[in-house]
Amino acid sequence: MTDDPIPLSGLTHYTYCPRRFALVHIEGEWAENVYTKRGQQQHQRVHGGGTEERDGVITLRSLPLVSREHGLAGVADVVEILADGTPRPVEYKSSKAPKTHKLGKFAEEVQLCAQSLCLEEMFTTSIPAGFIYHAGSHRRREVSFTPDLRAAVLVARDGVRDLLRDRVLPPPAADDRCRLCSLFDECEPFAPRAFPPGYDPFSTTLEDR
Amino acid sequence: MRQLLNTLYVQTQGSYLHLDTDNIRVDVERQRKAMIPLHHVEGIVVFGNVLLSPYLIHRLARDHKPVTWLTEFGRFMARTETPVSGNVLLRTAQHAAACDPDRTLAVARFVAAGKLQNQKTTLMRAAREVQDSDPDLLRQAARDINAQIGVLPLTGTVDEVRGVEGAAARTYWEVFPLMIRANRDFFWLTERTRRPARDPINSLLNFVYTILANDCASAAQSVGLDPQVGFLHALRPGRASLALDLMEELRPATADRAILTLINRQQLTPRDFQQHEGGAVTITEDARRTILAHLTERRKEEVTHPLTARKTPLGLIPHVQARLMAQHLRGDRSHYPPYLHR
Ligand code: SF4
């Protein structure tokens, strides 16, 4: 594989909405709303780096990840090394678990699974499951890495690679996921692409009210 | 939604602006004259001899708030380029479109159409308002411009579009003085000329257009477009052609309207002008202050954008249009939709 590795964070955006990925990673748009702001603060806390050991579990923070086989790279928030030496990725999210959009939830799982693919290669082991920690509700949820989820990671990776190559902005999703999207204003998913009725720059009607 | 913030205009000669925690502090002769919280300010425009501390310039650049330097009389000199204004892919698309005659023609037609529609609307609106002058002449001018709009889709080159736009402009400026209702013997307009202005109306137009062009250039820059590469306006070194394109449709609706309102309300009177040897006419500092205050007020006025159907402050229209232009250039929207003022 000669291409540059695909950034793990891109997979999340892409899975949620390919256009969102393109706006952030290709167009360089970045709008801050309450979701991303909170997320950043959270990340600053987690991304302090370093190692810590408790009850036989070693916690690694900000661990660089790479998979040559799958062409992926990124940084894991937290990786726990269990007593038997196997790694478990833990992704920190500022959101509350139940409030996340269904696709958003899936996007998180894709990202976590992608981290595992890297860890499996780096540690030559197999990882059955990982955790997503929702700071909003102080809950951990377990995500098992099913064959379907693993396949979804590679589908997203290919999609990201195509977009980075073709650089064509995908059309808006224009559905309920947009209401939770911080790029709503930049994207304008519901603004008509064609001219709406009554809007005609070449109109020659003369209104005299 | 992008927030509408104020542009800070500073024209007191000898002012010194510097950063004071999160405020812009304005000193005149070592006396503190104003403290403006940074988060209220979208950008700074300074006239003539006004100093800014390097720390303030750095901070503004980091916050993506442009600084613009004008001469004392409002002529554009320089603007900061902030780190955000570098969407290289968008710029590549913009340059490719500008090199493609068909795409350039298409954008130029829509830009001109927006301007002519808004001229037509301005004339028709004035025709309903004037009493003592001739509304029929204004209506006739609107009909003539309408005929030019009808020709626009048939144009085959950008030069032809410019021809149509020029013909409409002559019609428009011929009747422009008819829209003035106060001090009519003082406010006259021979023809639309650039610097130096030789009559009061031209001196006002030059000033207001510079302010508006600057708004448009900043808007273009902040969505990542290159303000210098336009479509209706020919590329020329040092000319912000795209900003001028974006401005065309806004001239009648915002700038011309502002001047008419201020004259008709007698907020601008003959006392506000200075006649110089050799025929040049300039505006006094007080009058410039009046104009800037009026423009700042008008920026807050909400209009319904005819394309997005969203209520938008007039001051954000340049941003909305710059974004629509960017969407068109990146292939996300098949046409550039101009802003049609109602
Ligand atoms: S607003 Fe909707 S279409 Fe646009 S990037 Fe966000 S999710 Fe995608």
Side-chain angles (χ1 to χ4, degrees):
Chain A
M1 204 152 306
T2 52
D3 291 30
D4 283 342
I6 298 301
L8 293 177
S9 58
L11 298 182
T12 326
H13 286 134
Y14 182 89
T15 306
Y16 189 72
C17 169
R19 184 174 169 89
R20 182 173 162 86
F21 167 82
L23 285 170
V24 174
H25 295 266
I26 300 177
E27 301 282 336
E29 291 280 5
W30 190 249
E32 281 191 358
N33 70 6
V34 59
Y35 307 102
T36 59
K37 259 240 167 77
R38 225 193 298 137
Q40 273 168 11
Q41 285 165 0
Q42 193 73 41
H43 265 249
Q44 266 157 18
R45 232 170 298 144
V46 177
H47 277 274
T51 313
E52 159 188 319
E53 190 175 344
R54 204 201 234 165
D55 303 331
V57 176
I58 301 173
T59 303
L60 306 174
R61 294 181 197 281
S62 307
L63 183 70
L65 300 176
V66 64
S67 161
R68 285 180 201 289
E69 189 192 335
H70 301 300
L72 299 168
V75 178
D77 283 346
V78 169
V79 175
E80 294 177 349
I81 309 291
L82 306 186
D84 65 359
T86 56
R88 286 283 175 281
V90 184
E91 180 64 16
Y92 277 68
K93 292 294 171 197
S94 54
S95 57
K96 282 188 185 152
K99 282 226 174 121
T100 310
H101 186 273
K102 153 165 117 290
L103 249 174
K105 198 168 147 191
F106 181 61
E108 289 169 358
E109 292 170 6
V110 165
Q111 187 187 12
L112 187 74
C113 181
Q115 293 176 1
S116 281
L117 295 185
C118 296
L119 289 168
E120 285 180 341
E121 192 175 315
M122 291 160 69
F123 288 75
T124 42
T125 180
S126 72
I127 304 174
F131 295 98
I132 294 178
Y133 177 75
H134 290 275
S137 52
H138 303 286
R139 280 238 180 79
R140 252 181 188 226
R141 75 186 161 92
E142 187 171 349
V143 176
S144 58
F145 302 135
T146 61
D148 280 357
L149 187 56
R150 288 167 187 268
V153 172
L154 301 185
V155 167
R157 176 205 59 188
D158 292 344
V160 165
R161 183 171 293 149
D162 289 351
L163 263 182
L164 287 175
R165 189 191 53 229
D166 301 337
R167 295 171 168 185
V168 175
L169 195 60
D175 56 27
D176 65 343
R177 76 187 96 159
C178 297
R179 272 179 291 115
L180 294 170
C181 176
S182 59
L183 295 178
F184 190 93
D185 285 325
E186 286 68 17
C187 173
E188 292 199 60
F190 299 111
R193 300 288 130 178
F195 292 166
Y199 176 86
D200 175 11
F202 296 127
S203 158
T204 50
T205 50
L206 204 60
E207 285 171 44
D208 196 0
R209 280 160 294 165
Chain B
M1 188 69 202
R2 192 195 169 84
Q3 245 189 308
L4 178 69
L5 301 172
N6 285 323
T7 300
L8 177 63
Y9 297 100
V10 185
Q11 56 167 349
T12 305
Q13 298 301 290
S15 312
Y16 175 57
L17 276 60
H18 59 118
L19 194 61
D20 188 334
T21 52
D22 282 336
N23 299 288
I24 299 164
R25 178 171 161 168
V26 183
D27 289 352
V28 179
E29 283 166 11
R30 291 172 188 276
Q31 296 284 311
R32 183 169 111 181
K33 284 285 180 236
M35 284 282 262
I36 302 114
L38 262 171
H39 66 266
H40 285 171
V41 172
E42 180 176 87
I44 300 188
V45 177
V46 300
F47 294 78
N49 178 26
V50 173
L51 292 172
L52 284 85
S53 80
Y55 295 114
L56 178 60
I57 296 173
H58 296 176
R59 175 62 188 274
L60 291 164
R62 210 181 69 205
D63 295 355
H64 314 309
K65 298 176 177 183
V67 183
T68 305
W69 285 270
L70 308 178
T71 65
E72 193 183 343
F73 296 103
R75 191 171 192 175
F76 175 76
M77 286 288 121
R79 182 183 309 108
T80 50
E81 172 130 349
T82 66
V84 78
S85 45
N87 187 342
V88 71
L89 293 165
L90 175 58
R91 288 192 176 201
T92 310
Q94 181 184 358
H95 294 178
C99 291
D100 178 334
D102 290 341
R103 295 193 64 191
T104 300
L105 173 64
V107 176
R109 273 189 195 147
F110 278 111
V111 167
K115 178 184 191 180
L116 269 53
Q117 292 290 358
N118 291 338
Q119 285 179 331
K120 183 171 91 177
T121 306
T122 303
L123 293 173
M124 289 307 284
R125 191 163 144 184
R128 290 191 294 276
E129 287 168 358
V130 292
Q131 295 119 13
D132 44 353
S133 74
D134 202 341
D136 286 338
L137 284 174
L138 292 171
R139 285 204 183 88
Q140 185 53 47
R143 272 195 291 277
D144 290 348
I145 289 176
N146 216 14
Q148 300 293 348
I149 294 172
V151 175
L152 273 179
L154 310 174
T155 49
T157 62
V158 176
D159 269 339
E160 282 174 43
V161 178
R162 289 185 194 127
V164 169
E165 190 260 323
R170 278 190 295 282
T171 305
Y172 179 78
W173 292 119
E174 230 169 69
V175 297
F176 190 82
L178 296 178
M179 296 192 272
I180 289 167
R181 297 200 298 272
N183 294 304
R184 294 186 73 164
D185 49 344
F186 179 78
F187 289 107
W188 42 271
L189 177 78
T190 38
E191 53 177 334
R192 175 73 191 112
T193 52
R194 290 209 190 77
R195 294 161 201 282
R198 311 189 80 80
D199 60 73
I201 301 265
N202 267 308
S203 68
L204 291 172
L205 289 170
N206 288 347
F207 182 73
V208 176
Y209 286 165
T210 310
I211 302 295
L212 185 58
N214 184 56
D215 282 354
C216 292
S218 299
Q221 195 172 287
S222 78
V223 305
L225 288 164
D226 182 344
Q228 303 225 347
V229 177
F231 301 91
L232 178 60
H233 286 84
L235 307 188
R236 204 182 280 165
R239 184 197 238 185
S241 301
L242 183 71
L244 295 176
D245 283 0
L246 289 172
M247 176 167 127
E248 286 299 354
E249 58 208 59
L250 296 171
R251 286 179 201 256
T254 65
D256 302 353
R257 266 271 130 211
I259 291 173
L260 289 170
T261 303
L262 288 169
I263 294 176
N264 289 340
R265 285 192 199 148
Q266 305 204 33
Q267 284 173 275
L268 290 174
T269 63
R271 263 173 301 146
D272 293 312
F273 299 85
Q274 283 162 342
Q275 195 91 35
H276 299 269
E277 293 292 334
V281 177
T282 55
I283 321 168
T284 63
E285 188 180 322
D286 263 356
R288 292 201 300 268
R289 218 180 289 285
T290 306
I291 297 167
L292 292 172
H294 177 72
L295 291 177
T296 302
E297 264 321 294
R298 276 216 77 199
R299 279 162 59 83
K300 295 181 197 145
E301 205 176 286
E302 290 206 326
V303 292
T304 302
H305 194 287
L307 186 90
T308 65
R310 285 213 264 174
K311 272 208 181 302
T312 312
L314 209 46
L316 280 188
I317 295 290
H319 280 276
V320 174
Q321 293 306 122
R323 193 170 290 295
L324 292 171
M325 178 69 85
Q327 289 177 353
H328 167 63
L329 296 174
R330 289 284 281 122
D332 195 27
R333 172 181 285 294
S334 46
H335 305 289
Y336 166 67
Y339 168 66
L340 306 182
H341 193 66
R342 285 279 147 239

